[in-house]
Amino acid sequence: MRASLIALLLGSPILSSAQEVIGTGGAYHTSGTAGLSYTIGEPVTATVGNASTTLTQGFQQPWADINTVVDDPVTDGPSINVYPNPVRHILHIAMDGTPEGHHYVLHDAAGRQVTDGRIGSAITDLDMEPFASGSYYLRVLGPNDNSGRSFKISVTH
């Protein structure tokens, strides 16, 4: 029985399948001497480089969480609080005092503006359900766009 099982396994055709990548983005760039093709979302398998260039090869690169720290200017304006964070549905922007001419701007992790609006009361609700899960940056600005605060917001659905 054992010998027939081994003979069956060795004599059977072996099926194999190639790797397939379903990427979320990428592109192909060429110059006179080189070409580069990349897919966003691949795991790193090798990294090579010299003093001026680094090349990372692989399949399905993991998401890079890049943060830029910008100091908020010191203001004598109202106190601003944003909650809950992380948020699933509604983000509350709470201000001490009167929000005269204050507004907010929401950017995604790539720096693209996704929405903005006016702050009309002590607590302003911002619906976060239309936005994908991830990191966002909320900037609350004063009447002349010169004072305000920045908040890193995590959306989890």
Side-chain angles (χ1 to χ4, degrees), residues 11-12 17 20 23 29 38 41 43 49-50 61-62 64-65 82 84 93-94 97 105 125-126 131-132 142 154 157:
S12 300
S17 63
E20 183 179 349
H29 300 282
Y38 65 91
N50 60 25
Q61 298 274 351
D65 188 14
V82 175
I93 304 170
V105 181
D125 293 336
L126 178 56
F131 308 116
S154 294
H157 293 297

Coordinates of all heavy atoms in Angstrom, one line a residue, residues 11-12 17 20 23 29 38 41 43 49-50 61-62 64-65 82 84 93-94 97 105 125-126 131-132 142 154 157:
G11 N 4.5 9.7 -9.7 CA 4.1 9.6 -11.1 C 3.0 10.6 -11.5 O 2.7 10.8 -12.6
S12 N 2.4 11.2 -10.5 CA 1.3 12.2 -10.8 C 1.9 13.5 -11.3 O 3.0 13.9 -10.9 CB 0.5 12.5 -9.5 OG -0.1 11.4 -9.0
S17 N 1.3 27.0 -9.6 CA 0.7 28.2 -10.0 C 1.7 29.4 -9.7 O 2.4 29.3 -8.8 CB -0.6 28.5 -9.3 OG -0.4 28.6 -7.9
E20 N 0.6 35.8 -8.0 CA -0.2 36.9 -8.6 C -0.3 38.0 -7.7 O -0.5 37.8 -6.5 CB -1.7 36.4 -8.9 CG -2.5 37.4 -9.6 CD -3.9 36.8 -9.9 OE1 -4.1 35.6 -9.8 OE2 -4.8 37.6 -10.2
G23 N -2.4 44.7 -6.9 CA -1.9 45.9 -6.3 C -3.0 47.0 -6.2 O -3.9 47.0 -7.0
H29 N 7.9 53.6 -15.2 CA 8.6 54.8 -15.7 C 9.8 54.4 -16.4 O 10.5 53.4 -16.1 CB 9.0 55.7 -14.5 CG 7.9 56.2 -13.7 ND1 7.1 57.2 -14.0 CD2 7.3 55.7 -12.5 CE1 6.1 57.4 -13.1 NE2 6.3 56.5 -12.2
Y38 N 6.7 49.5 -10.6 CA 6.4 49.3 -9.2 C 4.9 49.1 -8.9 O 4.1 49.6 -9.7 CB 6.9 50.5 -8.3 CG 6.3 51.8 -8.5 CD1 5.2 52.2 -7.8 CD2 6.8 52.7 -9.5 CE1 4.6 53.4 -8.0 CE2 6.2 53.9 -9.7 CZ 5.1 54.3 -8.9 OH 4.5 55.5 -9.1
G41 N 1.9 48.3 -2.3 CA 1.3 47.2 -1.5 C 2.1 45.9 -1.5 O 1.5 44.9 -1.2
P43 N 5.2 43.3 -0.1 CA 6.2 43.1 1.0 C 7.6 43.1 0.5 O 7.9 42.6 -0.6 CB 5.8 41.7 1.6 CG 5.2 41.0 0.5 CD 4.5 42.1 -0.4
G49 N 21.4 49.2 -2.7 CA 21.6 50.7 -2.9 C 23.0 51.1 -2.8 O 23.9 50.3 -2.5
N50 N 23.2 52.4 -3.1 CA 24.5 53.0 -2.9 C 24.3 54.3 -2.2 O 23.3 54.5 -1.6 CB 25.2 53.1 -4.3 CG 24.4 54.0 -5.3 OD1 23.6 54.8 -4.8 ND2 24.6 53.8 -6.6
Q61 N 4.3 45.7 -0.9 CA 4.9 46.6 0.1 C 3.9 46.9 1.2 O 2.8 47.3 0.9 CB 5.4 47.9 -0.6 CG 6.4 47.6 -1.7 CD 7.8 47.6 -1.1 OE1 8.0 47.8 0.0 NE2 8.8 47.2 -2.0
P62 N 4.3 46.9 2.4 CA 3.4 47.3 3.5 C 3.2 48.8 3.5 O 4.0 49.5 3.0 CB 4.1 46.8 4.8 CG 5.6 46.8 4.4 CD 5.6 46.4 2.9
A64 N 3.3 52.5 4.5 CA 4.2 53.3 5.2 C 3.4 54.4 5.9 O 2.7 55.2 5.3 CB 5.2 53.9 4.3
D65 N 3.6 54.5 7.2 CA 2.9 55.6 8.0 C 3.9 56.7 8.1 O 4.8 56.6 8.9 CB 2.5 55.0 9.3 CG 1.6 56.0 10.1 OD1 1.1 57.0 9.5 OD2 1.4 55.8 11.3
V82 N -10.9 67.7 20.2 CA -11.5 66.8 19.2 C -11.7 65.4 19.8 O -10.7 64.9 20.3 CB -10.6 66.8 18.0 CG1 -11.1 65.9 16.9 CG2 -10.5 68.2 17.4
P84 N -14.4 61.5 19.6 CA -13.5 60.5 20.1 C -12.4 60.3 19.0 O -12.6 60.6 17.8 CB -14.3 59.3 20.2 CG -15.4 59.4 19.1 CD -15.7 60.9 19.1
I93 N -15.9 68.4 17.3 CA -15.0 69.5 17.5 C -15.6 70.4 18.5 O -16.6 71.1 18.2 CB -14.7 70.2 16.1 CG1 -14.2 69.2 15.0 CG2 -13.7 71.3 16.3 CD1 -14.2 69.8 13.7
A94 N -15.0 70.5 19.7 CA -15.5 71.3 20.8 C -14.6 72.5 21.0 O -13.4 72.3 21.0 CB -15.6 70.4 22.0
G97 N -15.5 79.1 24.3 CA -15.7 80.4 23.8 C -16.5 80.4 22.5 O -17.1 79.4 22.1
V105 N -10.3 72.2 8.2 CA -9.9 71.5 7.0 C -9.4 70.1 7.3 O -8.6 70.0 8.2 CB -8.8 72.3 6.3 CG1 -8.4 71.7 4.9 CG2 -9.2 73.8 6.0
D125 N -20.2 68.8 14.7 CA -20.1 67.3 14.4 C -19.6 67.2 13.0 O -20.1 67.8 12.0 CB -21.4 66.6 14.6 CG -21.9 66.6 16.0 OD1 -21.0 66.7 16.9 OD2 -23.1 66.5 16.3
L126 N -18.7 66.3 12.8 CA -18.1 66.0 11.5 C -18.4 64.5 11.2 O -17.9 63.6 11.9 CB -16.6 66.3 11.4 CG -15.9 66.0 10.1 CD1 -16.5 66.7 8.9 CD2 -14.4 66.5 10.3
F131 N -15.5 58.4 4.8 CA -14.0 58.3 4.6 C -13.5 56.9 4.9 O -14.0 56.3 5.9 CB -13.3 59.4 5.4 CG -13.8 60.8 5.2 CD1 -14.4 61.5 6.2 CD2 -13.7 61.4 4.0 CE1 -14.9 62.8 6.0 CE2 -14.2 62.6 3.7 CZ -14.8 63.3 4.8
A132 N -12.5 56.5 4.2 CA -12.0 55.1 4.4 C -11.2 55.1 5.7 O -10.8 56.2 6.2 CB -11.0 54.8 3.3
G142 N -8.5 79.8 12.8 CA -9.2 81.0 13.2 C -9.8 81.8 12.1 O -9.6 81.5 10.9
S154 N -7.6 59.2 13.7 CA -7.6 57.8 13.2 C -9.1 57.4 12.9 O -9.9 57.4 13.9 CB -7.0 56.9 14.1 OG -5.6 57.2 14.3
H157 N -13.3 51.8 10.8 CA -14.6 51.3 10.4 C -14.7 49.8 10.7 O -13.8 49.1 10.5 CB -15.0 51.6 9.0 CG -15.2 53.0 8.7 ND1 -16.1 53.8 9.3 CD2 -14.5 53.8 7.9 CE1 -16.0 55.0 8.9 NE2 -15.0 55.1 8.0

